[in-house]
Amino acid sequence: MVDTDAFFDRLNPQMCVVTAAVGDERAGCLVGFSAQCSIRPLRYVVFLSKANRTYRVARDADRLAVHLLTRDQHELAALFGGETGDEVDKFTRARWRRGHGGAVVLEDAAAWFVGAVHTRVDGGDHVGFVLEPERSGQRGDDRPPLRLRDSLDIDPGHPAD
């Protein structure tokens, strides 16, 4: 096995909350694997764990919403990262609304977009959802973004495998 710690330990990606909705079923989770993946057309990819309830809902969703949080929104990050939707309705403890195409938009996010699912890519224990942004919004917030190192104390609601 290759020792990749020297590289991967230096990464500190921005975290986001991804929400999915199909009919009355809602799900959402904290995500550390995401990035813009195309300029023209504009596309963004989020990777969801196959062990996660959000993944199971997202498989049938036409759209997902991606939300950026600020460092001081640790409690919201812990709700979506440390609880599992298999046991808790996270949306009873967060402010949200139905957005474009029925997507679930978190009202307290610093910025968000709703994207149509263009394609799904198997990445191993995660599946990448390539999204084409359709609508977006922001609070005009310039506080520092929530990053991986800010959320290391959050125990995942589901183990990675």
Side-chain angles (χ1 to χ4, degrees), residues 18-21 42-44 46 58 61-67 99-101 103-105 112-120 129-136:
V18 175
T19 58
L42 179 60
R43 291 196 178 135
Y44 194 87
V46 294
D62 295 330
R63 291 172 178 81
L64 302 179
V66 180
H67 308 81
H100 177 69
V104 173
V105 175
W112 59 269
F113 80 87
V114 173
V117 177
H118 177 266
T119 191
R120 294 166 178 86
F129 290 75
V130 178
L131 306 174
E132 293 183 356
E134 296 178 325
R135 299 278 164 79
S136 64

Short mmCIF file of all heavy atoms in Angstrom, two decimals, residues 18-21 42-44 46 58 61-67 99-101 103-105 112-120 129-136:
data_model
loop_
_atom_site.label_atom_id
_atom_site.label_comp_id
_atom_site.label_asym_id
_atom_site.label_seq_id
_atom_site.Cartn_x
_atom_site.Cartn_y
_atom_site.Cartn_z
N VAL A 18 -25.25 18.68 1.73
CA VAL A 18 -26.01 18.32 0.54
C VAL A 18 -27.35 17.79 0.99
O VAL A 18 -27.43 16.95 1.89
CB VAL A 18 -25.26 17.26 -0.30
CG1 VAL A 18 -26.11 16.81 -1.48
CG2 VAL A 18 -23.92 17.81 -0.78
N THR A 19 -28.42 18.30 0.36
CA THR A 19 -29.76 17.81 0.66
C THR A 19 -30.39 17.21 -0.59
O THR A 19 -30.09 17.64 -1.71
CB THR A 19 -30.67 18.92 1.22
OG1 THR A 19 -30.74 19.99 0.28
CG2 THR A 19 -30.17 19.42 2.56
N ALA A 20 -31.22 16.22 -0.37
CA ALA A 20 -31.94 15.54 -1.45
C ALA A 20 -33.39 15.38 -1.03
O ALA A 20 -33.68 15.20 0.16
CB ALA A 20 -31.32 14.16 -1.72
N ALA A 21 -34.28 15.43 -2.00
CA ALA A 21 -35.70 15.24 -1.72
C ALA A 21 -36.34 14.50 -2.88
O ALA A 21 -36.06 14.77 -4.04
CB ALA A 21 -36.40 16.57 -1.51
N LEU A 42 -20.89 24.84 -16.73
CA LEU A 42 -20.59 24.88 -15.30
C LEU A 42 -21.15 23.63 -14.65
O LEU A 42 -22.34 23.33 -14.78
CB LEU A 42 -21.20 26.13 -14.66
CG LEU A 42 -20.97 26.28 -13.15
CD1 LEU A 42 -19.48 26.35 -12.84
CD2 LEU A 42 -21.68 27.52 -12.65
N ARG A 43 -20.27 22.89 -13.98
CA ARG A 43 -20.70 21.68 -13.26
C ARG A 43 -19.94 21.56 -11.95
O ARG A 43 -18.80 22.02 -11.83
CB ARG A 43 -20.47 20.43 -14.11
CG ARG A 43 -21.42 20.40 -15.30
CD ARG A 43 -21.51 19.05 -15.92
NE ARG A 43 -22.46 19.10 -17.02
CZ ARG A 43 -22.25 18.55 -18.21
NH1 ARG A 43 -21.14 17.89 -18.45
NH2 ARG A 43 -23.17 18.66 -19.15
N TYR A 44 -20.58 20.90 -11.00
CA TYR A 44 -20.03 20.71 -9.66
C TYR A 44 -20.32 19.27 -9.27
O TYR A 44 -21.40 18.75 -9.57
CB TYR A 44 -20.71 21.68 -8.69
CG TYR A 44 -20.02 21.82 -7.37
CD1 TYR A 44 -19.00 22.75 -7.20
CD2 TYR A 44 -20.40 21.06 -6.28
CE1 TYR A 44 -18.36 22.90 -5.98
CE2 TYR A 44 -19.77 21.20 -5.05
CZ TYR A 44 -18.75 22.13 -4.91
OH TYR A 44 -18.12 22.26 -3.69
N VAL A 46 -20.49 16.36 -6.13
CA VAL A 46 -20.51 16.03 -4.70
C VAL A 46 -20.51 14.51 -4.59
O VAL A 46 -21.21 13.83 -5.33
CB VAL A 46 -21.73 16.63 -3.98
CG1 VAL A 46 -21.67 18.15 -3.96
CG2 VAL A 46 -23.04 16.18 -4.58
N ALA A 58 -30.88 10.40 -2.71
CA ALA A 58 -30.32 11.09 -3.88
C ALA A 58 -30.33 10.22 -5.14
O ALA A 58 -30.42 10.75 -6.25
CB ALA A 58 -28.90 11.56 -3.58
N ALA A 61 -33.34 11.20 -6.91
CA ALA A 61 -33.61 12.64 -7.02
C ALA A 61 -33.16 13.18 -8.37
O ALA A 61 -32.14 12.75 -8.92
CB ALA A 61 -32.91 13.39 -5.90
N ASP A 62 -33.92 14.14 -8.89
CA ASP A 62 -33.54 14.85 -10.12
C ASP A 62 -32.60 16.01 -9.83
O ASP A 62 -31.86 16.44 -10.69
CB ASP A 62 -34.78 15.41 -10.82
CG ASP A 62 -35.71 14.32 -11.30
OD1 ASP A 62 -35.23 13.22 -11.62
OD2 ASP A 62 -36.93 14.58 -11.34
N ARG A 63 -32.68 16.53 -8.59
CA ARG A 63 -31.90 17.69 -8.19
C ARG A 63 -31.38 17.49 -6.78
O ARG A 63 -32.05 16.87 -5.95
CB ARG A 63 -32.74 18.96 -8.22
CG ARG A 63 -33.12 19.40 -9.60
CD ARG A 63 -34.13 20.55 -9.56
NE ARG A 63 -34.44 20.98 -10.91
CZ ARG A 63 -35.30 20.38 -11.70
NH1 ARG A 63 -35.96 19.32 -11.27
NH2 ARG A 63 -35.52 20.82 -12.92
N LEU A 64 -30.24 18.10 -6.50
CA LEU A 64 -29.69 18.16 -5.16
C LEU A 64 -29.41 19.63 -4.84
O LEU A 64 -29.19 20.43 -5.75
CB LEU A 64 -28.39 17.37 -5.04
CG LEU A 64 -28.44 15.89 -5.40
CD1 LEU A 64 -27.05 15.26 -5.25
CD2 LEU A 64 -29.45 15.15 -4.54
N ALA A 65 -29.41 19.97 -3.56
CA ALA A 65 -29.01 21.30 -3.14
C ALA A 65 -27.70 21.19 -2.36
O ALA A 65 -27.52 20.28 -1.55
CB ALA A 65 -30.09 21.94 -2.27
N VAL A 66 -26.79 22.10 -2.65
CA VAL A 66 -25.47 22.14 -2.02
C VAL A 66 -25.39 23.45 -1.24
O VAL A 66 -25.64 24.52 -1.80
CB VAL A 66 -24.35 22.05 -3.07
CG1 VAL A 66 -22.98 22.10 -2.40
CG2 VAL A 66 -24.50 20.78 -3.91
N HIS A 67 -25.01 23.36 0.04
CA HIS A 67 -25.00 24.51 0.93
C HIS A 67 -23.62 24.71 1.54
O HIS A 67 -23.03 23.76 2.05
CB HIS A 67 -25.99 24.29 2.09
CG HIS A 67 -27.35 23.91 1.65
ND1 HIS A 67 -27.69 22.61 1.30
CD2 HIS A 67 -28.47 24.64 1.49
CE1 HIS A 67 -28.97 22.58 0.96
NE2 HIS A 67 -29.46 23.79 1.05
N GLY A 99 -37.28 24.60 -2.50
CA GLY A 99 -36.72 25.49 -3.51
C GLY A 99 -37.03 25.00 -4.90
O GLY A 99 -37.96 24.20 -5.11
N HIS A 100 -36.25 25.44 -5.84
CA HIS A 100 -36.41 25.10 -7.26
C HIS A 100 -36.55 23.59 -7.45
O HIS A 100 -35.76 22.81 -6.91
CB HIS A 100 -35.20 25.63 -8.03
CG HIS A 100 -35.21 25.28 -9.47
ND1 HIS A 100 -36.10 25.81 -10.36
CD2 HIS A 100 -34.42 24.43 -10.17
CE1 HIS A 100 -35.87 25.31 -11.56
NE2 HIS A 100 -34.85 24.47 -11.46
N GLY A 101 -37.55 23.17 -8.19
CA GLY A 101 -37.74 21.75 -8.50
C GLY A 101 -38.04 20.88 -7.30
O GLY A 101 -37.88 19.67 -7.36
N ALA A 103 -36.39 20.99 -4.45
CA ALA A 103 -35.19 20.77 -3.64
C ALA A 103 -35.37 21.38 -2.25
O ALA A 103 -36.12 22.34 -2.06
CB ALA A 103 -33.98 21.39 -4.33
N VAL A 104 -34.67 20.83 -1.27
CA VAL A 104 -34.69 21.32 0.10
C VAL A 104 -33.52 22.28 0.27
O VAL A 104 -32.36 21.89 0.11
CB VAL A 104 -34.60 20.16 1.11
CG1 VAL A 104 -34.45 20.69 2.52
CG2 VAL A 104 -35.81 19.25 0.99
N VAL A 105 -33.83 23.55 0.59
CA VAL A 105 -32.81 24.58 0.75
C VAL A 105 -32.75 24.99 2.21
O VAL A 105 -33.77 25.35 2.81
CB VAL A 105 -33.13 25.81 -0.14
CG1 VAL A 105 -32.13 26.93 0.11
CG2 VAL A 105 -33.13 25.41 -1.61
N TRP A 112 -25.81 28.81 -1.35
CA TRP A 112 -26.37 27.52 -1.78
C TRP A 112 -26.62 27.54 -3.28
O TRP A 112 -26.69 28.60 -3.89
CB TRP A 112 -27.67 27.20 -1.04
CG TRP A 112 -28.72 28.26 -1.26
CD1 TRP A 112 -28.94 29.37 -0.48
CD2 TRP A 112 -29.67 28.33 -2.33
NE1 TRP A 112 -29.97 30.12 -1.00
CE2 TRP A 112 -30.43 29.50 -2.15
CE3 TRP A 112 -29.95 27.52 -3.42
CZ2 TRP A 112 -31.45 29.89 -3.01
CZ3 TRP A 112 -30.97 27.90 -4.29
CH2 TRP A 112 -31.70 29.07 -4.08
N PHE A 113 -26.72 26.34 -3.85
CA PHE A 113 -27.25 26.22 -5.20
C PHE A 113 -28.04 24.92 -5.31
O PHE A 113 -27.80 23.97 -4.58
CB PHE A 113 -26.15 26.30 -6.28
CG PHE A 113 -25.36 25.05 -6.51
CD1 PHE A 113 -25.79 24.07 -7.40
CD2 PHE A 113 -24.15 24.86 -5.85
CE1 PHE A 113 -25.06 22.91 -7.61
CE2 PHE A 113 -23.41 23.70 -6.06
CZ PHE A 113 -23.86 22.73 -6.94
N VAL A 114 -28.99 24.93 -6.21
CA VAL A 114 -29.75 23.73 -6.58
C VAL A 114 -29.24 23.32 -7.95
O VAL A 114 -29.18 24.15 -8.87
CB VAL A 114 -31.27 23.99 -6.62
CG1 VAL A 114 -32.01 22.78 -7.18
CG2 VAL A 114 -31.78 24.35 -5.24
N GLY A 115 -28.87 22.05 -8.08
CA GLY A 115 -28.35 21.57 -9.34
C GLY A 115 -29.08 20.34 -9.83
O GLY A 115 -29.42 19.45 -9.03
N ALA A 116 -29.30 20.29 -11.14
CA ALA A 116 -29.87 19.09 -11.76
C ALA A 116 -28.78 18.02 -11.81
O ALA A 116 -27.63 18.30 -12.14
CB ALA A 116 -30.35 19.41 -13.17
N VAL A 117 -29.16 16.79 -11.49
CA VAL A 117 -28.21 15.69 -11.55
C VAL A 117 -27.96 15.36 -13.02
O VAL A 117 -28.86 14.95 -13.74
CB VAL A 117 -28.74 14.44 -10.80
CG1 VAL A 117 -27.76 13.28 -10.93
CG2 VAL A 117 -29.00 14.78 -9.33
N HIS A 118 -26.73 15.58 -13.45
CA HIS A 118 -26.34 15.30 -14.84
C HIS A 118 -25.93 13.85 -15.00
O HIS A 118 -26.32 13.17 -15.94
CB HIS A 118 -25.20 16.23 -15.25
CG HIS A 118 -24.69 15.96 -16.63
ND1 HIS A 118 -23.62 15.14 -16.87
CD2 HIS A 118 -25.13 16.39 -17.84
CE1 HIS A 118 -23.41 15.08 -18.18
NE2 HIS A 118 -24.31 15.82 -18.78
N THR A 119 -25.10 13.37 -14.08
CA THR A 119 -24.63 11.99 -14.14
C THR A 119 -24.17 11.56 -12.76
O THR A 119 -23.95 12.39 -11.88
CB THR A 119 -23.48 11.83 -15.17
OG1 THR A 119 -23.22 10.46 -15.38
CG2 THR A 119 -22.21 12.51 -14.70
N ARG A 120 -24.06 10.26 -12.57
CA ARG A 120 -23.55 9.68 -11.32
C ARG A 120 -22.32 8.86 -11.66
O ARG A 120 -22.31 8.13 -12.66
CB ARG A 120 -24.62 8.82 -10.67
CG ARG A 120 -25.83 9.62 -10.19
CD ARG A 120 -27.01 8.71 -9.86
NE ARG A 120 -28.15 9.43 -9.36
CZ ARG A 120 -29.09 9.99 -10.12
NH1 ARG A 120 -29.02 9.90 -11.45
NH2 ARG A 120 -30.10 10.64 -9.58
N PHE A 129 -22.11 12.75 -7.68
CA PHE A 129 -23.27 13.29 -8.37
C PHE A 129 -22.80 14.57 -9.07
O PHE A 129 -22.48 15.56 -8.40
CB PHE A 129 -24.40 13.59 -7.39
CG PHE A 129 -25.03 12.36 -6.81
CD1 PHE A 129 -24.40 11.62 -5.83
CD2 PHE A 129 -26.28 11.94 -7.26
CE1 PHE A 129 -24.98 10.48 -5.30
CE2 PHE A 129 -26.87 10.79 -6.73
CZ PHE A 129 -26.21 10.06 -5.76
N VAL A 130 -22.71 14.52 -10.39
CA VAL A 130 -22.30 15.68 -11.16
C VAL A 130 -23.55 16.53 -11.39
O VAL A 130 -24.53 16.06 -11.97
CB VAL A 130 -21.64 15.27 -12.49
CG1 VAL A 130 -21.26 16.51 -13.30
CG2 VAL A 130 -20.42 14.39 -12.23
N LEU A 131 -23.48 17.78 -10.93
CA LEU A 131 -24.64 18.66 -10.93
C LEU A 131 -24.45 19.84 -11.88
O LEU A 131 -23.34 20.38 -11.99
CB LEU A 131 -24.88 19.20 -9.51
CG LEU A 131 -24.99 18.17 -8.40
CD1 LEU A 131 -25.08 18.86 -7.04
CD2 LEU A 131 -26.19 17.26 -8.62
N GLU A 132 -25.54 20.23 -12.51
CA GLU A 132 -25.57 21.44 -13.33
C GLU A 132 -26.38 22.48 -12.56
O GLU A 132 -27.61 22.34 -12.44
CB GLU A 132 -26.21 21.17 -14.69
CG GLU A 132 -25.38 20.25 -15.56
CD GLU A 132 -25.98 20.03 -16.94
OE1 GLU A 132 -27.09 20.53 -17.23
OE2 GLU A 132 -25.33 19.33 -17.73
N PRO A 133 -25.72 23.51 -11.99
CA PRO A 133 -26.44 24.50 -11.19
C PRO A 133 -27.56 25.18 -11.98
O PRO A 133 -27.39 25.54 -13.14
CB PRO A 133 -25.34 25.51 -10.82
CG PRO A 133 -24.08 24.70 -10.87
CD PRO A 133 -24.28 23.74 -12.01
N GLU A 134 -28.72 25.31 -11.32
CA GLU A 134 -29.89 25.95 -11.93
C GLU A 134 -30.34 27.20 -11.19
O GLU A 134 -30.82 28.14 -11.81
CB GLU A 134 -31.06 24.96 -11.99
CG GLU A 134 -30.79 23.76 -12.86
CD GLU A 134 -31.94 22.77 -12.86
OE1 GLU A 134 -32.61 22.59 -11.81
OE2 GLU A 134 -32.18 22.17 -13.91
N ARG A 135 -30.22 27.20 -9.87
CA ARG A 135 -30.60 28.35 -9.05
C ARG A 135 -29.59 28.45 -7.91
O ARG A 135 -29.05 27.44 -7.46
CB ARG A 135 -31.99 28.18 -8.44
CG ARG A 135 -33.08 28.06 -9.45
CD ARG A 135 -33.52 29.43 -9.98
NE ARG A 135 -34.30 29.32 -11.19
CZ ARG A 135 -35.57 29.00 -11.26
NH1 ARG A 135 -36.24 28.72 -10.18
NH2 ARG A 135 -36.18 28.94 -12.44
N SER A 136 -29.38 29.66 -7.41
CA SER A 136 -28.46 29.83 -6.29
C SER A 136 -28.87 31.03 -5.46
O SER A 136 -29.70 31.85 -5.88
CB SER A 136 -27.03 30.02 -6.81
OG SER A 136 -26.92 31.22 -7.55
#
